Amino acid sequence: MKKNRKNLALILLAASLLAGCAGQSNSQSSQSSQAKSEKKAESKASSKSAAKSAASSAVSSTKSSSSQASSKSAASSSQRADVNRMGTLTSQLRVKLPGMLLPAADGLGQGSSNLNIRYTSSSSQNVVYYSVGNSPLALNDSRIASEKPYAVLTEKKNVADASSLINYQEPKTGLPAVKIAGNVTGTEEGAAGSTYLQFNQGQWSFVVRASNVQGQKPLPTAQKLLALYQQYGLPDTAAKSSVQVDVGESLGSLNTVITWAKGSSVYQLKAHSAETAFKMLKSLN
């Protein structure tokens, strides 16, 4: 009897142990299943997030491309407007001053949209003033007279002696030689508190004046002039012509003076910078 009870107890203990193992296995299985479900949910969430990010990036890229295209279009339109303004004013000038050589380019680096032009005309000469104002004004608007011109183009008509107006300088001898660039050399001399550096190219004489009082040096300006001449050239002329420059550039200074003859007329362009002058003359017609 006791033996049977002992066996029964052993059987109950074994059954209890088996039930515990089964519960633990079911719990582990449940946990595993739950973990898989969570990973699957995380994966879906991650995929949705990535897709959303990609879509957002695509929209942003499209907006950026659209903005860049818009900016380029605006810049292109602005450039066309600047060119059209110079072209429009020059076309009007050709009607008012028939036969006069005029530049098609304004020579400016900026401010072309506010380019203004006025002129005077008589039987002996035409004078055209180029300036940049606070707003674009009609040709010869009275308000333009108060603006400082950055360039002035003059045509003196029916000139009997062009040489007296052009002031061409023959090459100098017996003066210290100065190398300008490459095989181009000039001569230098001092007078009245200034230093003059001269060199000649073809029919053109180039003279640069530097102030000794202000500590100026003529060579850098002479080198710039030679480079501009080689890049842009100067108007065709059968007569000997001249380029004269005072060192230093500022608005309204008109320190660059280029004078030449064309037919029976003598032309002179004064400009606040040598580069502006060469750009304008390159487009002369």
Side-chain angles (χ1 to χ4, degrees):
M1 185 71 173
K2 288 182 180 179
K3 187 175 181 182
N4 289 336
R5 288 179 179 175
K6 187 175 181 180
N7 289 336
L8 181 58
L10 289 172
I11 290 171
L12 291 173
L13 178 61
S16 176
L17 289 173
L18 289 172
C21 290
Q24 184 176 1
S25 175
N26 289 336
S27 175
Q28 289 176 347
S29 176
S30 176
Q31 290 175 355
S32 175
S33 177
Q34 183 178 356
K36 288 181 179 179
S37 297
E38 290 177 351
K39 285 184 178 179
K40 189 173 182 180
E42 289 176 359
S43 177
K44 287 182 178 180
S46 177
S47 297
K48 288 181 179 180
S49 177
K52 187 175 181 181
S53 176
S56 176
S57 176
V59 171
S60 176
S61 176
T62 300
K63 288 182 177 180
S64 176
S65 298
S66 177
S67 176
Q68 290 177 356
S70 178
S71 297
K72 288 181 179 180
S73 177
S76 178
S77 296
S78 176
Q79 290 174 352
R80 287 196 299 270
D82 294 348
V83 171
N84 289 341
R85 178 154 182 78
M86 180 63 176
T88 298
L89 292 173
T90 301
S91 295
Q92 294 172 6
L93 269 178
R94 293 193 191 283
V95 174
K96 303 293 184 180
L97 308 174
M100 181 179 180
L101 293 175
L102 296 169
D106 59 29
L108 294 171
Q110 58 183 4
S112 295
S113 58
N114 287 334
L115 170 71
N116 290 319
I117 298 177
R118 67 183 181 91
Y119 71 93
T120 61
S121 181
S122 69
S123 59
S124 61
Q125 69 175 20
N126 297 321
V127 185
V128 182
Y129 302 83
Y130 297 84
S131 60
V132 174
N134 295 321
S135 62
L137 300 172
L139 178 68
N140 248 23
D141 188 294
S142 60
R143 290 169 289 180
I144 301 175
S146 64
E147 298 174 355
K148 285 186 177 181
Y150 70 85
V152 178
L153 178 62
T154 301
E155 177 195 18
K156 291 188 179 295
K157 296 180 279 187
N158 302 314
V159 177
D161 182 14
S163 61
S164 63
L165 298 174
I166 292 174
N167 196 28
Y168 171 84
Q169 301 292 308
E170 294 288 349
K172 300 289 195 304
T173 58
L175 294 172
V178 178
K179 181 177 180 179
I180 309 299
N183 61 352
V184 179
T185 59
T187 56
E188 189 175 84
E189 64 179 324
S194 298
T195 298
Y196 295 84
L197 177 54
Q198 176 186 332
F199 65 96
N200 292 60
Q201 293 285 285
Q203 293 285 83
W204 294 85
S205 66
F206 297 77
V207 178
V208 178
R209 186 188 74 84
S211 170
N212 297 335
V213 176
Q214 297 180 36
Q216 297 173 340
K217 302 296 181 183
L219 182 57
T221 299
Q223 292 171 329
K224 179 179 179 180
L225 280 177
L226 178 60
L228 289 170
Y229 173 69
Q230 292 172 340
Q231 180 179 358
Y232 295 103
L234 284 168
D236 292 332
T237 174
K240 294 180 177 179
S241 305
S242 69
V243 178
Q244 296 174 297
V245 178
D246 285 351
V247 175
E249 298 179 354
S250 62
L251 181 62
S253 63
L254 305 180
N255 284 345
T256 295
V257 182
I258 301 176
T259 314
W260 73 101
K262 183 70 173 179
S264 62
S265 295
V266 171
Y267 285 86
Q268 183 178 83
L269 177 66
K270 295 182 178 181
H272 76 124
S273 85
E275 185 170 2
T276 293
F278 275 82
K279 286 180 177 179
M280 293 180 76
L281 294 181
K282 175 68 175 178
S283 66
L284 199 69
N285 61 71

